[in-house]
Amino acid sequence: MTTHKYDPANMDRLLGSERYEQLDIQRIFSLLPLTHYQTVADIGCGPGFFTIPLGKFLWEGKVYAMDIQEEMLETCRHRVNEAGLANVQVILNGETQFPLGLGSLDGALVSQVLHSQINKATFLKTVKDLLKPGGWLAFINWHLVTEPTQGPPAERRISKEDVLHLAKEAGLGMILHRELAEELYLLVLRKSI
């Protein structure tokens, strides 16, 4: 089995006005332990919805925009170049293989990606290992609902409780939970020191 991939033919929806209304980037950033000099990965960056704002916010830091689909990365790379962001590096990664050193990140943002992972426990542990001690990991996930009105089908979603269970097993503790939209929630986790 492989990771579920987003159909690049629908990429425009990832940058559409409805998504900007649903995910208030400034509000989300205000909930993260972000500082201007951090090194942060946008894992599952797609066409760069969060990458561009992260690159602007982390003006003294670095952003690794990572995805498993080259089509997504092409669009992200183009948008990064248009924005003139020299602190963003766009990288192709595997399902649980990330070309970054262990303990190299201050933080990571994983938005609407966890439901696509076949082995969620391995994915979480792999991402956790990329974090420095005390580093943070922010997940934006779809609520587990029986009749979704948007996003992935119900059988691919994961509850907040299940994410927290997997996170605890991986060595991550919760520092924040917020509802973001009707069917989305944010969890911010921290790697133990």
Side-chain angles (χ1 to χ4, degrees), residues 13 22 112 115 142 148-154 156-157 183-184:
R13 291 175 55 197
Q22 185 180 51
Q112 298 165 290
H115 68 274
W142 295 96
T149 60
Q150 56 187 323
R156 289 204 356 237
R157 295 179 179 221
E183 293 189 29
L184 290 168

Side-chain angles (χ1 to χ4, degrees), residues 141-145 157-159 177 179 181-185:
N141 290 315
W142 295 96
H143 275 293
L144 187 60
V145 294
R157 295 179 179 221
I158 182 167
S159 71
H177 163 250
E179 297 298 316
E182 184 179 334
E183 293 189 29
L184 290 168
Y185 63 92

Side-chain angles (χ1 to χ4, degrees), residues 11-64:
M11 195 179 322
D12 288 347
R13 291 175 55 197
L14 295 178
L15 296 170
S17 60
E18 184 178 318
R19 190 159 190 230
Y20 282 96
E21 290 171 16
Q22 185 180 51
L23 293 168
D24 181 342
I25 293 172
Q26 295 310 314
R27 176 176 178 240
I28 292 167
F29 283 9
S30 75
L31 297 169
L32 303 180
L34 266 178
T35 58
H36 297 292
Y37 53 82
Q38 290 180 331
T39 299
V40 175
D42 181 6
I43 298 174
C45 66
F49 179 83
F50 283 107
T51 302
I52 304 305
L54 272 173
K56 291 177 180 178
F57 185 89
L58 297 169
W59 48 275
E60 287 188 69
K62 176 119 180 130
V63 178
Y64 293 105

Side-chain angles (χ1 to χ4, degrees), residues 10-186:
N10 298 323
M11 195 179 322
D12 288 347
R13 291 175 55 197
L14 295 178
L15 296 170
S17 60
E18 184 178 318
R19 190 159 190 230
Y20 282 96
E21 290 171 16
Q22 185 180 51
L23 293 168
D24 181 342
I25 293 172
Q26 295 310 314
R27 176 176 178 240
I28 292 167
F29 283 9
S30 75
L31 297 169
L32 303 180
L34 266 178
T35 58
H36 297 292
Y37 53 82
Q38 290 180 331
T39 299
V40 175
D42 181 6
I43 298 174
C45 66
F49 179 83
F50 283 107
T51 302
I52 304 305
L54 272 173
K56 291 177 180 178
F57 185 89
L58 297 169
W59 48 275
E60 287 188 69
K62 176 119 180 130
V63 178
Y64 293 105
M66 306 175 78
D67 206 287
I68 62 172
Q69 293 180 263
E70 187 56 50
E71 303 93 338
M72 295 292 183
L73 293 176
E74 285 176 28
T75 300
C76 184
R77 199 174 287 114
H78 175 73
R79 295 183 71 233
V80 165
N81 290 337
E82 274 189 340
L85 296 171
N87 64 335
V88 177
Q89 185 176 347
V90 180
I91 303 173
L92 182 69
N93 63 270
E95 292 176 24
T96 55
Q97 300 83 34
F98 301 95
L100 299 176
L102 299 179
S104 61
L105 299 174
D106 295 297
L109 174 63
V110 181
S111 178
Q112 298 165 290
V113 170
L114 191 59
H115 68 274
S116 299
Q117 300 302 314
I118 300 303
N119 190 332
K120 294 169 180 53
T122 300
F123 177 80
L124 265 169
K125 181 173 179 340
T126 303
V127 174
K128 187 261 311 186
D129 289 343
L130 298 174
L131 299 173
K132 296 174 182 176
W136 57 268
L137 175 55
F139 280 110
I140 297 173
N141 290 315
W142 295 96
H143 275 293
L144 187 60
V145 294
T146 51
E147 295 183 26
T149 60
Q150 56 187 323
E155 64 272 10
R156 289 204 356 237
R157 295 179 179 221
I158 182 167
S159 71
K160 174 186 67 166
E161 292 75 21
D162 287 342
V163 174
L164 289 173
H165 175 75
L166 291 170
K168 185 176 180 183
E169 288 184 347
L172 295 160
M174 183 177 81
I175 57 174
L176 181 124
H177 163 250
R178 290 289 185 278
E179 297 298 316
L180 294 180
E182 184 179 334
E183 293 189 29
L184 290 168
Y185 63 92
L186 168 71

